Amino acid sequence: MSETAFASLAEDLFRQHYAVLPDFFSPAQIRAWHDDAAATSRQGLFRAAAVGRNADRLRDTSIRGDTIHWLEPDTLIPAQQAYLAFLESLRLRLNEQFMLGLFAAECHYAHYVAGSFYKKHLDRHQDSRDRVVSVICYLNDDWQAQDGGQLRLYLDDKTLDVQPLAGTLVCFFSERIPHEVLVVKRERLSLTGWLRVRPVH
Ligand code: OGA
Ligand code: MN
């Protein structure tokens, strides 16, 4: 992450509570994550995502239809190590500049197939109080408006639709910005993570 890339991310995040940064990552970097996600999916390692945590965990495809694969900190796969290292540097730099007290990062690949979506929600709800900054990186080449699957951000006075196009990075304050994933018309892959104020477990 270059100085200028971090500077525009930080400026947008604090000025408007979100940042949308096209071409944040190089095509080669995105390809490595895309290919790893696709291979991991082919190995059957993705699981249906649950809504809520702990006792009230439930799988409800009328709320969200993606499948996910968590990146583990001790992973031996270089592509996954590289993304976790990026999140770690983002965590340290945001702490340094804004004293957010971010303690840890967590991240998963997410896979949506045609017809799936994620209804409007907040990432920081009663069951995930520790999430402060949401960070999403898209892995989809040549995404067109008619492919659907836009990330819709609900801002104070308008909505903003973001195409999940390869290389785009989105960050927002988890507690501030309700959002949804519109119905996707073709396969959609991303890396979705959070910077948190307490340990993951
Ligand atoms: C999520 C989420 C948005 C996206 O996983 O919580 O809102 O664009 N993802 O994938
Ligand atoms: Mn979300």
Side-chain angles (χ1 to χ4, degrees):
M1 182 175 38
S2 71
E3 280 302 319
T4 46
F6 176 74
S8 54
L9 184 161
E11 196 202 313
D12 288 354
L13 185 59
F14 282 85
R15 185 167 43 86
Q16 58 195 16
H17 305 122
Y18 72 92
V20 176
L21 303 151
D23 301 319
F24 192 86
F25 294 107
S26 72
Q29 185 66 83
I30 292 292
R31 194 168 320 114
W33 291 323
H34 176 277
D35 292 353
D36 180 46
T40 305
S41 173
R42 276 196 304 275
Q43 289 164 40
L45 296 176
F46 279 59
R47 297 278 173 266
V51 180
R53 286 205 156 190
N54 308 326
D56 61 349
R57 267 175 91 79
L58 53 101
R59 285 176 185 158
D60 186 342
T61 50
S62 71
I63 299 175
R64 73 182 288 190
D66 56 330
T67 55
I68 64 173
H69 175 74
W70 287 97
L71 275 52
E72 299 300 338
D74 58 358
T75 179
L76 295 175
I77 297 168
Q80 299 187 10
Q81 288 171 353
Y83 196 75
L84 291 171
F86 158 70
L87 284 180
E88 184 63 7
S89 71
L90 183 59
R91 179 180 82 79
L92 294 174
R93 299 193 63 164
L94 288 172
N95 279 348
E96 198 174 27
Q97 195 155 338
F98 301 105
M99 312 240 268
L100 288 179
L102 301 169
F103 184 89
E106 60 181 343
C107 178
H108 59 63
Y109 285 126
H111 184 202
Y112 289 78
V113 293
S116 54
F117 53 83
Y118 193 162
K119 287 259 171 77
K120 184 178 176 184
H121 65 281
L122 274 178
D123 284 348
R124 191 180 196 180
H125 45 78
Q126 220 176 346
D127 302 316
S128 59
R129 246 174 251 121
D130 305 341
R131 293 173 173 174
V132 175
V133 182
S134 303
V135 184
I136 308 168
C137 168
Y138 296 110
L139 305 177
N140 313 292
D141 282 333
D142 303 320
W143 197 272
Q144 305 291 326
Q146 67 264 22
D147 295 330
Q150 289 80 13
L151 170 66
R152 177 165 290 172
L153 301 176
Y154 290 84
L155 309 176
D156 290 341
D157 50 354
K158 61 175 179 181
T159 59
L160 175 67
D161 288 353
V162 180
Q163 303 294 344
L165 181 62
T168 298
L169 185 76
V170 177
C171 299
F172 54 86
F173 283 112
S174 307
E175 159 174 81
R176 282 286 317 214
I177 312 260
H179 56 280
E180 72 175 302
V181 177
L182 303 183
V183 178
V184 314
K185 309 284 176 58
R186 58 168 261 213
E187 180 177 67
R188 177 192 195 270
L189 286 167
S190 62
L191 276 155
T192 301
W194 296 274
L195 304 176
R196 319 161 37 99
V197 287
R198 272 195 294 250
V200 177
H201 299 295

